[in-house]
Amino acid sequence: MTPTSTFDPVRYRDAARAEWGDAAAGWRVWAGVLEADDAGLAVSRKLVELAGIGPGSCVLDVAAGYGEPGLTAARAAGPGGRVVCTDL
């Protein structure tokens, strides 16, 4: 964006959606590793443990990507907790 241009939210949204759509095939290829109990989920569980997330915790996951470890944090926080994940 040049100093004289204006931000176009629709154009930005469309570009972001296209970028995520282009990346989706790569995520699908690695989904089994990312979600495997002894791989990606093990890392998420350890991160949640080290962060001290447990029942009733409130968590903000910034730059959450595809959702892990936010999903693991939500399971640890339980129905009395709250996890908010955000990304582009």
Side-chain angles (χ1 to χ4, degrees), residues 55-69:
S57 291
C58 292
V59 178
L60 174 61
D61 185 354
V62 178
Y66 78 105
E68 272 298 338

Side-chain angles (χ1 to χ4, degrees), residues 1-85:
M1 205 159 55
T2 65
T4 58
S5 66
T6 57
F7 177 72
D8 182 345
V10 173
R11 185 172 167 210
Y12 180 82
R13 180 202 63 207
D14 291 346
R17 283 183 178 166
E19 185 177 327
W20 277 98
D22 291 344
W27 282 105
R28 278 190 216 89
V29 168
W30 289 99
V33 172
L34 294 169
E35 296 180 7
D37 247 4
D38 62 346
L41 287 180
V43 172
S44 291
R45 284 192 301 272
K46 187 64 174 180
L47 181 61
V48 166
E49 174 191 327
L50 291 171
I53 299 168
S57 291
C58 292
V59 178
L60 174 61
D61 185 354
V62 178
Y66 78 105
E68 272 298 338
L71 295 170
T72 297
R75 286 188 288 275
R82 181 173 182 169
V83 176
V84 175
C85 298

